[in-house]
Amino acid sequence: MATAVHQLPPEETSDRPPAESVVVRFAGDSGDGMQLTGGQFTLSTALAGNDLATFPDFPAEIRAPQGTLFGVSAFQINFGSSEIDTAGDEPDVLVAMNPAALKTNLGSLKKGGLIIADEGEFSERNLAKAKYDANPLEDGSLAPWQLMKLNISQLTLDAVKPFGLGNKEALRCKNMWTLGLALWMFDRDRQPLIDWLKAKFAKAPELADANIAALNAGHAYGETAELAGPMKQHHVPAAPAEPGLYRTITGAESISLGLVAGAQLASLPMFFGGYPITPASAILHHLSRLKEFGVTTFQAEDEIAAIASAIGASYAGQLGVTSSSGPGIALKGEAIGLAIMTELPLVVVNSQRGGPSTGLPTKTEQSDLYQAVYGRNGDAPMPVIAARSAADCFDVAIEACRIATQYMTPVMLLTDGYIANAAEPWKVPDTSAYEPFPVKFLEEAPATGFLAYARDEKGARPWVKPGTPGLLHRIGGIEKAAGTGNIDYSPANHQLMTEARRDKVAGIKVPDQQVEVGETSGKLAVVGWGSTFGPIHQAVRRARRRGLDVAHIHLRHIWPMPANLGTLLKGYERILVPEMNTGQLKTVLRDQYLVDAKPLNKVSGQPFRIAEIEAAIDQALA
């Protein structure tokens, strides 16, 4: 049974001083390549041995008008010499490629932090688009911060002039010039980026050479310019790490690999039926490259066809998987009920985003918990589990596959936009440490006769491949007769089958709930789920260093909940539940355990900051 508990010794939670970390945010137009710049800076940071966490933040528009406030794309990375759990509260450095990027991100910058601005883009036209009445680089409004004005646009044009590119193509190299400067600032090796550029532009070597020249020029600027004031080279030591093979991984990549591993542990081929939707589309993209592991991917014409095809694959003897975000999960609701009624294994991944309806397509939220636990017609129970981080998605995906195949049920796996897009280091696990859970199909009728809805000790019915001699049975969405599976509308049978499906899910064996940091009783427990793990974890550690009696509990199994959770929660005087919704887990905890859980809600499309949770802890204990 896959678990992921991070126990900290008392000296780490109370005595250890915080180690060094730096938060950098790159911001510019969607066409400025900020996601690519951030991604490559992340690669160099990982190679330098720092722990890290990232937060890509981009607009919903495919290509918003250049220079506008709603077209700004940003990428934030927090890296340091110790454990990093979040992408950071406030940037220490903001790289602003135009006025709109400065205006939309300045409020997040730490007071006294460094602004690196491309003054070449602060024209009257761009200032007007960003709704500036005056140039902030000249009017003194940036006095609370350190300001470094560079004409990055012109410096880039000068660097790539020998390669004969047009003005538009040349300016596309700005992000590489900026990246070169950032690599110098934090003492990073350029060679891996140079190798990457040569591979990326292998068929257009002149573009590779131009981008490499821009990268080197930005680095050289930092090395040789007479830079007075704020810009200094800064080396962040490597973080301690267990020996092993590491890679950076996003939540979407991690889920994809975990689903493949889960199917392998179940000794099943996997069928993925999906339909593109932000931020879940990346799972389909990653799985489509893993055909050698027995993975079939199908991009359906709509969400309903996607899940229906996955259910058909499960009926045929494969592990059916589908994924979407909140609006698509709503469309899949009837078919999820079909999987519950037919009692077939199915993994449903919900990469949550801001809602309702189309809502905030590229922003993060945790507002689909009610939908996951309750959101189907009829009494239609299904297990729900949630990943806490990008790396954790691997183990959670395996757990979803285990529950689905061992209990013959669909399973909802919850992530969100932050987890799906964020990256962090991941120690590639030893797969031999995972206990296989091979599926056993029923291949011949028992001596007492074949009953398609007979149940084993777990409440699961047999799994039969269509066409198996002597095991013909009926499948569909109409209520099944207990045992035979024939159509049966009778009141007593519907009562019996509804309770059987309920009891099967309620009886799923999940690990006892652990306390992540702190004691098993006390004044305050901060209870979270999903991507709130990092900020809660750090906030509780900071509070405990200040002597406060607070603990952190983080749920993986949302439904059914761990058997010991009620007793554990009742050991605390107060319970605080931070969520990126209006209080959904809080309501479930109150309903199930009659505890006075208090909400801390955030629905801005942005993840919690550590300081927000730390302030709520202080208020709860005041």
Side-chain angles (χ1 to χ4, degrees):
M1 197 173 291
T3 59
V5 176
H6 180 65
Q7 295 284 7
L8 294 175
E11 63 272 14
E12 188 171 354
T13 61
S14 57
D15 299 332
R16 193 181 72 172
E20 184 177 19
S21 66
V22 178
V23 181
V24 179
R25 183 181 295 182
F26 301 93
D29 259 324
S30 295
D32 285 338
M34 293 297 94
Q35 303 306 317
L36 186 146
T37 302
Q40 293 307 308
F41 187 77
T42 299
L43 172 63
S44 70
T45 300
L47 291 172
N50 297 128
D51 198 8
L52 62 95
T54 71
F55 178 44
D57 189 15
F58 40 85
E61 290 78 10
I62 293 173
R63 187 66 186 272
Q66 194 170 2
T68 57
L69 294 170
F70 55 86
V72 173
S73 177
F75 186 102
Q76 182 164 308
I77 177 171
N78 182 12
F79 59 97
S81 57
S82 67
E83 179 188 3
I84 299 293
D85 291 312
T86 78
D89 277 14
E90 298 174 310
D92 299 287
V93 179
L94 171 63
V95 179
M97 303 299 285
N98 63 15
L102 177 64
K103 189 162 197 175
T104 56
N105 290 279
L106 186 61
S108 301
L109 184 64
K110 183 182 294 182
K111 288 293 186 274
L114 173 63
I115 300 168
I116 300 175
D118 180 8
E119 63 179 345
E121 289 294 320
F122 279 70
S123 64
E124 287 188 14
R125 185 181 180 194
N126 284 345
L127 289 167
K129 286 182 181 180
K131 305 189 186 309
Y132 274 117
D133 296 324
N135 189 341
L137 304 185
E138 309 293 346
D139 66 2
S141 61
L142 301 180
W145 299 275
Q146 303 177 73
L147 175 62
M148 179 63 66
K149 300 181 292 184
L150 307 173
N151 195 334
I152 295 173
S153 297
Q154 186 59 52
L155 289 165
T156 303
L157 290 173
D158 294 342
V160 303
K161 187 175 181 180
F163 302 95
L165 301 182
N167 202 59
K168 187 176 181 181
E169 284 186 314
L171 286 174
R172 285 178 181 159
C173 300
K174 279 198 306 182
N175 62 334
M176 286 298 111
W177 195 99
T178 306
L179 180 58
L181 181 64
L183 294 179
W184 171 81
M185 281 186 68
F186 296 103
D187 195 19
R188 300 279 185 258
D189 184 10
R190 280 169 288 161
Q191 192 58 47
L193 283 303
I194 292 171
D195 295 340
W196 175 80
L197 285 167
K198 288 179 177 178
K200 179 178 176 62
F201 295 110
K203 294 182 180 179
E206 69 282 359
L207 293 179
D209 292 341
N211 277 281
I212 291 168
L215 181 79
N216 289 335
H219 195 277
Y221 190 93
E223 284 181 323
T224 61
E226 292 291 333
L227 298 177
M231 192 181 295
K232 304 267 191 313
Q233 190 172 52
H234 191 74
H235 179 79
V236 179
E242 296 178 6
L245 174 65
Y246 286 81
R247 58 163 290 186
T248 56
I249 197 165
T250 66
E253 291 172 320
S254 184
I255 276 187
S256 302
L257 294 174
L259 289 169
V260 172
Q264 296 281 313
L265 291 167
S267 302
L268 291 172
M270 189 179 89
F271 177 93
F272 180 90
Y275 181 75
I277 183 171
T278 302
S281 302
I283 297 172
L284 172 59
H285 301 161
H286 293 304
L287 286 173
S288 67
R289 296 193 285 264
L290 299 174
K291 294 181 177 66
E292 66 270 28
F293 296 104
V295 177
T296 301
T297 52
F298 169 56
Q299 181 175 314
E301 65 268 29
D302 56 43
E303 296 281 10
I304 298 170
I307 187 171
S309 65
I311 292 171
S314 290
Y315 178 56
Q318 299 194 14
L319 177 58
V321 182
T322 189
S323 78
S324 192
S325 189
I329 298 297
L331 291 168
K332 295 178 190 288
E334 182 184 1
I336 293 173
L338 175 62
I340 290 169
M341 177 64 82
T342 55
E343 299 189 50
L344 286 168
L346 178 72
V347 177
V348 182
V349 182
N350 182 356
S351 300
Q352 301 165 96
R353 69 190 204 185
S357 186
T358 309
L360 307 175
T362 60
K363 308 303 179 185
T364 193
E365 208 162 273
Q366 291 182 300
S367 53
D368 295 349
L369 186 141
Y370 285 162
Q371 183 186 43
V373 176
Y374 305 119
R376 291 161 296 281
N377 69 293
D379 279 295
M382 67 184 293
V384 179
I385 58 178
R388 63 175 61 173
S389 67
D392 187 48
C393 285
F394 181 81
D395 285 330
V396 172
I398 292 175
E399 176 75 338
C401 295
R402 182 192 70 83
I403 292 174
T405 55
Q406 297 301 297
Y407 290 87
M408 294 294 285
T409 179
V411 178
M412 183 79 77
L413 194 170
L414 296 175
T415 70
D416 57 44
Y418 176 58
I419 290 176
N421 295 317
E424 64 179 354
W426 177 54
K427 184 181 179 184
V428 179
D430 177 5
T431 52
S432 65
Y434 290 86
E435 185 177 349
F437 41 88
V439 165
K440 294 181 180 177
F441 293 97
L442 186 63
E443 295 180 342
E444 58 182 44
T448 55
F450 171 54
L451 294 175
Y453 279 76
R455 301 188 182 278
D456 64 13
E457 70 283 355
K458 301 188 298 294
R461 76 175 188 86
W463 196 358
V464 179
K465 290 184 181 180
T468 305
L471 300 182
L472 183 70
H473 61 289
R474 189 185 298 268
I475 200 105
I478 296 178
E479 183 61 280
K480 305 289 176 290
T484 66
N486 295 330
I487 291 173
D488 191 336
Y489 296 136
S490 67
N493 179 73
H494 182 53
Q495 180 88 28
L496 178 64
M497 290 296 281
T498 299
E499 292 175 352
R501 290 186 290 264
R502 177 202 64 193
D503 293 344
K504 178 177 72 171
V505 171
I508 290 172
K509 296 286 191 286
V510 303
D512 278 351
Q513 183 62 48
Q514 304 293 318
V515 178
E516 305 294 338
V517 176
E519 309 304 324
T520 56
S521 62
K523 290 186 177 180
L524 176 66
V526 183
V527 182
W529 66 280
S531 65
T532 57
F533 175 83
I536 294 175
H537 195 64
Q538 292 292 350
V540 169
R541 288 172 63 180
R542 289 182 184 180
R544 287 180 63 80
R545 285 194 200 108
R546 294 188 286 117
L548 299 185
D549 183 1
V550 58
H552 175 199
I553 296 171
H554 214 78
L555 302 185
R556 165 178 286 181
H557 292 271
I558 306 295
W559 199 268
M561 290 181 163
N564 70 326
L565 181 60
T567 303
L568 184 62
L569 293 178
K570 289 174 181 176
Y572 298 94
E573 295 176 20
R574 300 179 183 87
I575 297 169
L576 177 68
V577 186
E579 298 180 82
M580 292 186 291
N581 58 44
T582 55
Q584 297 185 19
L585 178 64
K586 171 267 300 178
T587 302
V588 174
L589 293 177
R590 286 179 174 181
D591 169 59
Q592 292 297 303
Y593 304 116
L594 301 179
V595 293
D596 188 19
K598 301 291 188 183
L600 174 62
N601 306 133
K602 184 173 184 177
V603 284
S604 64
Q606 300 292 316
F608 273 105
R609 293 187 294 116
I610 301 168
E612 291 171 334
I613 298 176
E614 195 172 6
I617 290 171
D618 289 343
Q619 185 176 3
L621 292 174

